[in-house]
Amino acid sequence: MKIIKWIAGILVTLIVVLLGIAYSLPNEYRVSRSIVIQAAPAKIFPLIAAPKAWKNWSVWNQRDPSMEMQYSGPESGPGAAWDWKSKSQGNGGMKFNQVQADQKLEYELHFEGMGKPSVGALVLEVQAGGTKVTWDMHGSSEGNLMMKLFAPFMDKMVGPDFEAGLLNLKKLAEKTS
């Protein structure tokens, strides 16, 4: 009986410590990556402004070619949206909110069970040698304990996917230039 109480005490202590750590972590997270593409914004923008075009450069679609996609709203621009179901990449959806042609696309991203949606943007800036494309995403883990534990690691978890996606976008845009 003493051993059961001792094990229960250790488990309760571990849970309390884990909760304490989780509540001390920041609520906000941000992931941002950039790349210079040797193409004009007018060549790059159609590749990011149409949900159906994302499958040609998005890392997540490449990891799960059998991902189920359902599109809604217009073909591109504000209101364009899609939802997906994937055994390996999770279930979620994205909706484009604000668009400035050849300059900026803002979106909202949600995943099942992850709480509040993230907000992101792809920004195109003309520079010498091409167009700098910056992919940024930020969000809050407030109110979701599981997400709060992942938030400090979002840059390390999602950043490499942003880098790979931007590299794929670069290859595709430069090939079509």
Side-chain angles (χ1 to χ4, degrees):
M1 192 59 134
K2 281 185 178 182
I3 198 156
I4 293 173
K5 287 182 182 179
W6 186 74
I7 292 172
I10 289 175
L11 287 175
V12 168
T13 302
L14 286 173
I15 290 170
V16 168
V17 168
L18 185 62
L19 289 172
I21 290 170
Y23 283 107
S24 69
L25 295 172
N27 286 325
E28 305 300 315
Y29 59 88
R30 177 173 292 270
V31 179
S32 186
R33 297 293 191 274
S34 296
I35 196 166
V36 175
I37 299 176
Q38 295 176 351
K43 291 282 186 184
I44 301 166
F45 199 75
L47 301 173
I48 64 172
K52 290 180 181 177
W54 280 55
K55 65 183 174 196
N56 297 321
W57 60 270
S58 167
V59 176
W60 302 294
N61 290 89
Q62 293 173 355
R63 285 193 194 132
D64 183 3
S66 63
M67 183 182 289
E68 294 177 34
M69 309 284 275
Q70 185 168 5
Y71 300 95
S72 60
E75 289 287 317
S76 66
W82 71 104
D83 291 300
W84 59 85
K85 290 185 180 182
S86 169
K87 290 181 182 177
S88 65
Q89 303 304 300
N91 301 334
M94 182 180 280
K95 182 177 183 179
F96 297 158
N97 294 325
Q98 294 185 6
V99 176
Q100 294 173 305
D102 299 338
Q103 295 176 22
K104 185 176 187 178
L105 175 129
E106 293 181 8
Y107 64 85
E108 187 174 280
L109 171 72
H110 72 274
F111 279 93
E112 283 183 8
M114 296 305 275
K116 296 180 180 181
S118 300
V119 177
L122 285 148
V123 177
L124 286 69
E125 301 172 89
V126 176
Q127 336 187 290
T131 303
K132 180 180 178 184
V133 179
T134 301
W135 192 354
D136 180 72
M137 181 182 75
H138 60 277
S140 173
S141 61
E142 191 173 355
N144 185 324
L145 180 62
M146 185 59 82
M147 188 61 192
K148 193 163 177 105
L149 292 172
F150 283 109
F153 307 103
M154 287 295 284
D155 188 71
K156 285 185 173 52
M157 291 178 357
V158 180
D161 290 346
F162 277 23
E163 291 168 7
L166 287 171
L167 187 58
N168 289 341
L169 181 63
K170 176 181 175 72
K171 289 175 187 174
L172 187 60
E174 290 178 354
K175 185 171 91 174
T176 61
S177 291

